[in-house]
Every structure is written in C-alpha cells, then in structure tokens.
Amino acid sequence: MSVTDLNIDIATYIDHSLLKPSAVSEEVKQVCQEAWQYNFPSVCIYPVAVRQAKELLHDKKPNVCTVIGFPTGAVTSAVKLYEAQEAVENGATELDVVINLGWLKSGESDKVYREIAEICSETGQTVKAILETAVLTNEEKRLAGEICLDAGVAYLKTSTGWFGGATVEDVKLLKEITKGQIGVKASGGIRTYEQAIALIQAGATRLGTSRGIDLIRQQNESIK
C-alpha cells in the first residue's frame, strides 16, 4: 500500500513546534499563525512564550502546548510542578513533561510516579510524558510507560529531539504499552512525509515537529 492510499490528513496530527532557545517573538507569532492556518492541533513552545501564544490563539482552534523540565528532566519535582502550574496560569492546556531519567535508571519508580502524578492532578491539563526513548533500554521504556500511564498522563511521548528521535519500533512499543487507553506522540527527527506516515501507521496519534509546513507540502505533492 502506498502512502497516498492511506487517506490520512497529516495536519490533524501535528504539534507545530518552536523549541530553539534563540526563538524571538516574531517567530512565536509565525508558528501560531501557521498552526491556525493549517489546522494543527497545537503549537508547542517554551514556557516563556506561552502567554504570547495564548493571546494570539485565544479564539482559535490550536491548543497552546509547552514543555516542562525540558530537555533533561533533571530539575527538582517542586520546580517542575511550579513551571507546569505557571504555564497553565499563562494559558497552556497541554504540558509535555520530561521524566526524571536518573530516577528511572536507578530503580526509583515511586519518585517518577509521584512527580508525574502530582503534575497531572494539580494542573488538570493534558500531560504528555516525554520518556526520551533513545537513552533507554526496551525494559526501561516499558517501565517508564507503565509508570506514566498509572500516573494519569494523556500521552506517552518518545523524545525531546535533543538526544535522538522517534522510531517506528519505539512507537509500536508505546502503542502496545498504552493498549489504546491514551495517545502516543512521536517526536524528534521527523523530516519527511513518508517517515510521518510510517509513525502514524505504527500507532502515533500526535507528531511533534518543527517541519509541519514541509510535511504538508510533501503530502500535497504526493497526491498530485
């Protein structure tokens, strides 16, 4: 089956991301306009840009998504919770939270659980747990996914994109872990339409990428 036979509207999967530290307000404005124009589910920006994005998108469909503990996940739980709460106060309705990888690898599952569960319960918003699959074994990926599922997240997310990207194999594994109960977000290194379609076929329900416009262009070219 070719990708053009799938009849997938790729725009409905894209979290339109601007996560370079040097981003300026004009770039934030641009990604918000693009997210609205192309009907993307969300725009994903740093916490410092949340208020601006909310003002730009207050009466439009795209949600305002931001990242918490990004990109390492190695700040304290109190800092992550405050960052998440402040982001929500400023207008974010989706929170992509990096888990504490050191705790996971040290076998301190209870700490990983409590941190994520508290953010879920205290904010009441959509939480996507970033597992950073590129630095985990399959056993650790499965453990992290199960912990976050129990903690109440709405999505398991593969990667920040800083230490490696999404793979079809990892998306399949996260899909298996979720058993269809929550979403799977593939993120990191998504550059081509064919790659995006393969990730969707594997079970991704969201795609985090800064190349959303390129993917739309490639999709349009493929169906000409």
Side-chain angles (χ1 to χ4, degrees), residues 12-216:
T12 62
Y13 289 82
I14 292 173
D15 284 357
H16 196 35
S17 304
L18 177 64
L19 293 172
K20 61 177 185 179
S22 61
V24 298
S25 61
E26 281 302 311
E27 291 173 289
V28 174
K29 181 178 180 180
Q30 180 180 339
V31 296
C32 288
Q33 290 173 333
E34 290 169 346
W36 171 69
Q37 177 183 351
Y38 289 94
N39 205 32
F40 295 151
S42 83
V43 58
C44 187
I45 36 77
Y46 277 110
V48 71
V50 166
R51 189 180 294 275
Q52 180 189 359
K54 181 62 176 179
E55 290 171 353
L56 291 167
L57 294 170
H58 73 280
D59 60 347
K60 298 178 174 64
K61 180 179 178 180
N63 291 324
V64 176
C65 173
T66 195
V67 288
I68 305 298
F70 191 89
T72 68
V75 298
T76 66
S77 295
V79 168
K80 280 186 189 174
L81 179 60
Y82 179 84
E83 188 177 31
Q85 290 173 321
E86 183 182 45
V88 171
E89 289 173 3
N90 287 337
T93 57
E94 299 189 6
L95 306 169
D96 288 18
V97 183
V98 187
I99 70 168
N100 189 305
L101 297 165
W103 285 346
L104 182 75
K105 285 181 172 290
S106 298
E108 298 180 280
S109 300
D110 56 332
K111 290 183 178 180
V112 179
Y113 172 84
R114 285 199 301 269
E115 180 175 87
I116 298 299
E118 185 174 30
I119 292 172
C120 290
S121 64
E122 293 297 320
T123 65
Q125 301 299 324
T126 296
V127 172
K128 309 187 196 95
I130 305 177
L131 308 188
E132 205 64 273
T133 51
V135 302
L136 302 179
T137 66
N138 280 346
E139 183 179 350
E140 289 168 340
K141 294 169 194 175
R142 188 175 294 278
L143 175 61
E146 291 171 350
I147 290 169
C148 293
L149 182 63
D150 290 344
V153 303
Y155 291 80
L156 298 182
K157 178 177 172 180
T158 60
S159 324
T160 61
W162 285 56
F163 309 102
T167 67
V168 166
E169 292 74 22
D170 282 341
V171 169
K172 286 180 177 178
L173 178 60
L174 298 189
K175 177 69 172 179
E176 178 188 335
I177 293 167
T178 67
K179 297 181 175 64
Q181 297 176 46
I182 62 173
V184 174
K185 178 174 175 179
S187 185
I190 303 173
R191 297 181 175 87
T192 70
Y193 174 60
E194 290 76 14
Q195 183 185 12
I197 290 296
L199 292 167
I200 292 170
Q201 285 182 294
T205 55
R206 288 281 188 95
L207 303 174
T209 179
S210 61
R211 298 174 182 262
I213 307 304
D214 288 340
L215 297 181
I216 296 297

